[in-house]
Amino acid sequence: MQAFDLYAILPELVLLLATCFLLVASVYVRERVPTTLGIEQDIFHTPRGVGFVYFFSLLLLIYLIFAFVGRMGDVSLVAMNGLFQSDPLSNLLKACSCGAVLVSLIYSKQYLSDRALFRPDFIVLILLALLGQFVLISGANLLSLYLGLELMALPMYALVAMRHNSEKSVEAGIKYFILGALASGFLLYGMSMLYGVTGSLDLIEIFKTVADPRVNHLVMAFGLVFIVAGLAFKLGVVPFHMWVPDVYQGAPTAVTLMIAGAPKLAAFALLFRLLVNTLLPLMGDWQPMLVLLAILSLIVGNVTAIAQTNVKRMLAYSAIAQMGFVMLGMLSVFDDHAFSASVFYVITYVLTTLGTFGLLMALSHKGYDCETLEGLKGLNKKHPWFAFIGLVMMFSLAGIPPTVGFAAKLGVLEALVDAEHTFLAIIAVMASLVGAFYYLRVVKVMYFDEPSHEVTVSGSGFAKGLLSLNTILVLALGIIPAGLMSVCLDAMRRTLLGS
């Protein structure tokens, strides 16, 4: 191992060591459980408690954000004998992932405390999943990509089923595990076929071999089908979306946010690494598959969401449709503007998702989860500022100006028109019009319906202030999107040049 290898993996190494430290320290953390008499007692004791683990994790995430932002100006490099790559795009996505996890932890603190889930093991599992996202985003080898994918997924399975006294949570965890294992099997089988044809696990070597006209393209095509199917499972797009609504609804809202936020960035990185960096010579085979998946996701996701009264389930179908938009940006394979539009879209979607689920957790309290449209009725009459937050988030998801969702959708549509995919752009616009119905229905419920119960807002003042800042950022990036767009474009250009 050389010096630049250590430099390349230093943030990941810091995260790993810090997570191991917190895992060991959590043995001494005081945990309170109810006895048969209904009285809580301590089963572990330490003077520090879970607050130390939480505060240490926040400091760690802030350090990682600054570390990755500082590396965005570095040149692309491949380290660890071709297993790991560090480039501007990976550093941008990692910084955004850390920011998403940081905000998610702050939003979730009160929600988890009210449900006896605010424990060190919860935070440790989140950090391990974040480490898996780092490995996945920077994978330069089929083996490292798969290991990163599994390291990200396994803690998520445990998090979904962590609320043991909830049948829905346990059921969602089992479904997520079984279907996730099936998706991993598809992906691994496709990778094994790639290895059988090319004789290498290295992405660069696979790209060179696939470009050779003498290679067996029939076997490659079969392997590609399994890879795209596995990617579709991880992205949660139609027809491999069956796990998304059940997991979103069954998991605690804090865990749903962890699934709906940062992992979307890692899934996009996996899509980019495999299809663009590695299998670009086979674009004639995978482009039609992406078109089909994107169209089905836009139509099925938006149409099915109309029938939902559970907000988390509605947001699950919304996520399916949003991922269809992301895939549309991957169709212009020789246009860095199109790729950067997809990066901008997925980053701003995660930003909006953070605000949406942050609002749901703020409106939840001990013994009550705000998950249905009924719980949002008359919010403007009791808490007008939080109703405005909900309005901004719904407008952004629908793509209505002046929110950032409009700028993100417009960027993808422009890329489609420039690539002469006008028909796809029309389908995307029509699907967005359908989607606007159920987003505006949420706004109507908050502003025009009478409250059906007492609406209260929980959470610390800091969490409420961060939620307000999140809302302002969604508006500001919608009015002035050029700054973030230029960052995404520069990162994509330098990454493509470096590869």
Side-chain angles (χ1 to χ4, degrees), residues 266-393:
F268 169 80
L270 178 62
L271 188 71
F272 179 79
R273 298 293 184 200
L274 284 177
L275 297 186
V276 178
N277 276 4
T278 309
L279 299 176
L280 186 60
L282 297 178
M283 65 178 181
D285 296 318
W286 58 256
Q287 262 194 338
M289 287 189 274
L290 283 194
V291 170
L292 180 61
L293 292 174
I295 293 176
L296 288 176
S297 299
L298 287 169
I299 296 175
V300 174
N302 283 314
V303 171
T304 312
I306 295 176
Q308 309 304 317
T309 57
N310 184 286
V311 178
K312 287 167 62 177
R313 199 170 184 88
M314 183 199 78
L315 291 173
Y317 285 106
S318 167
I320 294 169
Q322 303 285 354
M323 288 301 102
F325 250 101
V326 172
M327 296 178 74
L328 288 178
M330 303 293 292
L331 298 179
S332 305
V333 294
F334 297 113
D335 187 0
D336 48 11
H337 284 86
F339 290 147
S340 66
S342 287
V343 176
F344 181 82
Y345 194 103
V346 73
I347 290 175
T348 54
Y349 168 69
V350 170
L351 178 66
T352 307
T353 299
L354 291 172
T356 305
F357 283 99
L359 176 64
L360 292 180
M361 285 187 285
L363 297 177
S364 302
H365 52 81
K366 192 170 185 177
Y368 170 73
D369 283 354
C370 181
E371 294 185 355
T372 63
L373 292 174
E374 190 78 15
L376 296 174
K377 283 186 175 180
L379 180 59
N380 183 57
K381 294 180 175 60
K382 298 291 184 178
H383 303 281
W385 174 247
F386 286 90
F388 177 73
I389 291 175
L391 180 145
V392 171
M393 298 306 163

Side-chain angles (χ1 to χ4, degrees), residues 17-37:
L17 294 175
T19 305
C20 292
F21 164 72
L22 292 177
L23 184 61
V24 174
S26 67
V27 175
Y28 304 99
V29 171
R30 180 174 56 195
E31 183 179 357
R32 303 180 69 85
V33 296
T35 64
T36 55
L37 299 177

Side-chain angles (χ1 to χ4, degrees), residues 78-141:
V78 178
M80 306 300 294
N81 292 321
L83 292 173
F84 189 91
Q85 57 186 331
S86 176
D87 51 43
L89 179 61
S90 65
N91 289 321
L92 172 62
L93 293 178
K94 289 177 187 176
C96 293
S97 296
C98 292
V101 173
L102 175 68
V103 173
S104 299
L105 281 176
I106 295 173
Y107 287 165
S108 306
K109 183 176 184 296
Q110 186 62 48
Y111 178 91
L112 295 170
S113 299
D114 290 341
R115 290 151 185 81
L117 293 174
F118 188 56
R119 307 197 303 258
D121 52 337
F122 184 93
I123 299 174
V124 168
L125 286 172
I126 289 172
L127 294 179
L128 288 174
L130 180 62
L131 179 62
Q133 293 166 34
F134 287 175
V135 176
L136 181 58
I137 290 171
S138 287
N141 187 287

Side-chain angles (χ1 to χ4, degrees), residues 373 376-379 381 444-451:
L373 292 174
L376 296 174
K377 283 186 175 180
L379 180 59
K381 294 180 175 60
K444 175 259 181 187
V445 166
M446 292 189 297
Y447 276 85
F448 300 105
D449 286 10
E450 291 297 324

Side-chain angles (χ1 to χ4, degrees), residues 426-492:
I426 294 174
I427 293 178
V429 171
M430 297 300 293
S432 297
L433 290 176
V434 174
F437 171 80
Y438 58 85
Y439 293 125
L440 294 178
R441 181 179 60 186
V442 176
V443 176
K444 175 259 181 187
V445 166
M446 292 189 297
Y447 276 85
F448 300 105
D449 286 10
E450 291 297 324
S452 59
H453 67 288
E454 182 64 28
V455 181
T456 59
V457 177
S458 62
S460 65
F462 182 67
K464 294 175 183 176
L466 186 60
L467 183 57
S468 300
L469 181 61
N470 191 340
T471 305
I472 294 171
L473 196 57
V474 169
L475 284 172
L477 288 176
I479 298 171
I480 313 173
L484 181 57
M485 282 183 171
S486 63
V487 170
C488 295
L489 180 59
D490 179 68
M492 182 58 70

Side-chain angles (χ1 to χ4, degrees), residues 158-177:
L159 287 172
V160 172
M162 182 165 280
R163 191 164 54 181
H164 306 299
N165 58 351
S166 170
E167 292 183 1
K168 286 185 178 180
S169 181
V170 175
E171 180 185 352
I174 294 173
K175 287 181 179 179
Y176 193 21
F177 173 74

Side-chain angles (χ1 to χ4, degrees), residues 197-257:
V197 173
T198 63
S200 176
L201 296 172
D202 186 85
L203 299 187
I204 298 176
E205 292 300 321
I206 293 175
F207 177 85
K208 295 177 180 177
T209 305
V210 170
D212 190 341
R214 295 171 295 178
V215 74
N216 190 332
H217 281 278
L218 180 61
V219 178
M220 293 292 296
F222 274 108
L224 184 62
V225 169
F226 282 102
I227 286 177
V228 172
L231 291 175
F233 263 109
K234 296 303 177 182
L235 286 168
V237 296
V238 179
F240 307 100
H241 66 292
M242 63 285 294
W243 63 271
V244 180
D246 293 334
V247 172
Y248 269 52
Q249 182 180 0
T253 306
V255 178
T256 306
L257 176 55

